Amino acid sequence: MSRFVLITSSADFERSVRSSLAPLSGSVQSFQANYLPESPEDILRQQAGEPPEVLILGPGLPREDALKFAAVMDLQYPEVSIVLVAEDDGELALHAMRSGVRDILAPTADMEQIRALVERASLAAAGRRRGLSPNTAERPAAEGGRVIAVMSPKGGVGKTTVATNLAIGLGQLAPMSVVLVDLDLQFGDIASGLMIEPEFTITDAVVGAASQDSMVLKTYLSLHPGNIYVLCAPRNPIEMDRISGEHISHLLRQLRTEFQYVVVDTAPGLGEHVLATLEHATDAVWVCGMDVPSIRGLRTGFQILSELDLLPDNRHVLLNMADRRTGLTVQDVEATIGAPVDVVLPRSRAVPFSTNKGVPLLQDGSRDAAAKGLRQLVERFKPNWEGPRKKLHRRAVVQ
């Protein structure tokens, strides 16, 4: 099997691609032609084994024919990433995304640009293969990926730190198949925490063309070096008023059809947008601090959502900044909230340092104890995970 297949009439471009991809494992199969076959099968029947990871439609091919071919390829073989080599005239990107094209590459791109873009497309193909595998679905395929709401009734407990690290960790399991959504619409700081300067925000994503077409929506996402996509909060808190609960519901329906994991960093409390998220969430990660107000808030949140029948099937409780010197124990917390604590993160100096640096702990390979706990959280979302524990604690200790 060739990992990369190239169709082009340009011998110079073919040489550039072969030189660029030489450091990557796998072979390149090229077809020198200025036309495309009638169907993808005409190419794939010449492949041994599985389909290629990346199909590159090089210079010299008619643009309209390339877009039509890409649309058929994406429909029949969605696990193959398609790269179109063409000059973007301002309108091409929209048509290309609608046709299933993964990326557009300029014909004048240098070797480093070619290698980086094709490698990114290859990672996306790997993520799609995992998503299409029958063993990876926690729910029927028609329902899409998992929507993970990272929750906390109160602020200041490290919810955003947990959400960003969870997304980065899942991105290591399923590259390019994870999107992190900042749903703290007034004071969300994922963009600054990840050192991202977004061209678009969630305000742009819930209106106009992006709300009508999932492929257009993907062009509104920011790409992070951790192999995840990010949808950042509005630049101005006033924009929150323009985003309704129905906007959020529609957005999550779109994203879960395109991604294996949708991680949502919600605002503290149980506002309209949080409740809309919970209506679609397959999982909720509850972040609790090692203090009485935070613990009581979590207990109250459980009670309210249980009455509203909005508790997701899969519940994961994370105790952050755990420290015995607070006078409380993990057992005290479990007894009060009436549920087991699944992950404990000890108080750590590495956490605020990583936040200030803009590099999550799980991205820089930290061996800190808090990083170990975050990896345990990520492990809970592997496809073979058996589900949350159901044991409840009835005794209340913290008064």
Side-chain angles (χ1 to χ4, degrees):
M1 177 195 76
S2 298
R3 287 183 62 195
F4 314 110
V5 172
L6 167 65
I7 306 176
T8 181
S9 62
S10 171
D12 289 339
F13 186 78
E14 179 189 349
R15 283 191 292 270
S16 295
V17 169
R18 289 189 178 277
S19 299
S20 302
L21 303 185
L24 304 180
S25 60
S27 61
V28 179
Q29 182 174 5
S30 63
F31 298 88
Q32 281 207 12
N34 59 1
Y35 64 92
L36 287 161
E38 294 183 1
S39 69
E41 285 80 4
D42 294 333
I43 296 175
L44 298 181
R45 70 166 57 104
Q46 301 183 47
Q47 297 280 307
E50 296 292 325
E53 296 176 12
V54 182
L55 172 64
I56 306 170
L57 302 179
L61 299 174
R63 178 180 294 188
E64 291 302 318
D65 291 350
L67 292 176
K68 291 177 182 177
F69 188 85
V72 175
M73 187 78 183
D74 184 60
L75 180 64
Q76 297 180 353
Y77 300 93
E79 69 274 24
V80 179
S81 290
I82 305 168
V83 174
L84 177 64
V85 184
E87 292 290 352
D88 188 358
D89 56 8
E91 299 181 357
L92 176 60
L94 178 59
H95 295 303
M97 291 299 176
R98 286 178 172 172
S99 297
V101 172
R102 176 66 182 75
D103 265 311
I104 299 175
L105 180 68
T108 56
D110 58 31
M111 291 175 55
E112 184 176 345
Q113 291 172 324
I114 294 173
R115 180 166 55 251
L117 188 144
V118 173
E119 190 169 18
R120 186 171 65 185
S122 181
L123 287 171
R128 278 192 164 189
R129 279 188 169 87
R130 292 189 185 95
L132 293 169
S133 171
N135 294 326
T136 61
E138 294 291 330
R139 294 187 171 210
E143 295 190 18
R146 297 175 73 167
V147 178
I148 306 168
V150 184
M151 312 276 300
S152 175
K154 300 182 70 65
V157 297
K159 177 175 52 60
T160 296
T161 297
V162 171
T164 53
N165 277 280
L166 175 58
I168 291 294
L170 292 173
Q172 294 166 357
L173 296 178
M176 313 308 293
S177 294
V178 180
V179 60
L180 173 62
V181 181
D182 192 346
L183 206 58
D184 189 344
L185 301 181
Q186 283 189 305
F187 304 109
D189 53 6
I190 281 181
S192 59
L194 292 177
M195 297 298 180
I196 293 175
E197 292 290 341
E199 183 178 357
F200 301 102
T201 70
I202 193 171
T203 309
D204 306 301
V206 298
V207 297
S211 65
Q212 304 299 320
D213 192 319
S214 295
M215 294 307 297
V216 177
L217 173 62
K218 292 183 75 172
T219 67
Y220 281 60
L221 307 179
S222 301
L223 182 62
H224 184 267
N227 293 324
I228 66 170
Y229 290 93
V230 183
L231 183 56
C232 297
R235 297 181 181 87
N236 190 327
I238 297 176
E239 295 180 19
M240 173 183 174
D241 295 334
R242 298 171 52 191
I243 303 174
S244 67
E246 181 53 40
H247 281 138
I248 299 304
S249 294
H250 181 67
L251 173 68
L252 294 178
R253 285 194 294 267
Q254 284 182 286
L255 291 175
R256 73 179 302 184
T257 63
E258 296 293 328
F259 293 92
Q260 189 173 342
Y261 298 102
V262 181
V263 180
V264 185
D265 181 24
T266 64
L270 297 174
E272 174 191 8
H273 302 108
V274 176
L275 295 179
T277 300
L278 285 172
E279 289 179 351
H280 298 275
T282 59
D283 301 78
V285 175
W286 294 90
V287 183
C288 180
M290 200 75 166
D291 59 87
V292 172
S294 180
I295 299 167
R296 283 180 172 171
L298 185 55
R299 179 179 62 184
T300 302
F302 279 169
Q303 292 171 347
I304 294 173
L305 293 177
S306 180
E307 293 174 4
L308 296 175
D309 196 25
L310 282 178
L311 278 175
D313 294 337
N314 299 320
R315 180 175 57 194
H316 318 261
V317 178
L318 183 146
L319 183 61
N320 197 16
M321 297 175 284
D323 189 341
R324 282 187 173 274
R325 290 174 294 182
T326 61
L328 299 174
T329 67
V330 174
Q331 290 73 26
D332 293 336
V333 176
E334 291 180 327
T336 302
I337 66 176
V341 171
D342 300 295
V343 178
V344 177
L345 300 187
R347 190 177 296 277
S348 168
R349 294 180 179 179
V351 173
F353 180 76
S354 70
T355 300
N356 294 336
K357 190 170 62 171
V359 180
L361 284 179
L362 296 189
Q363 185 180 351
D364 66 5
S366 171
R367 296 185 179 181
D368 184 81
K372 180 180 179 181
L374 289 166
R375 292 189 187 95
Q376 291 175 353
L377 177 63
V378 174
E379 288 289 320
R380 296 178 67 82
F381 293 93
K382 279 190 172 181
N384 60 355
W385 181 64
E386 295 179 354
R389 294 175 290 167
K390 298 298 184 181
K391 179 181 177 182
L392 296 179
H393 297 255
R394 301 182 182 277
R395 180 173 57 90
V397 173
V398 180
Q399 300 297 330

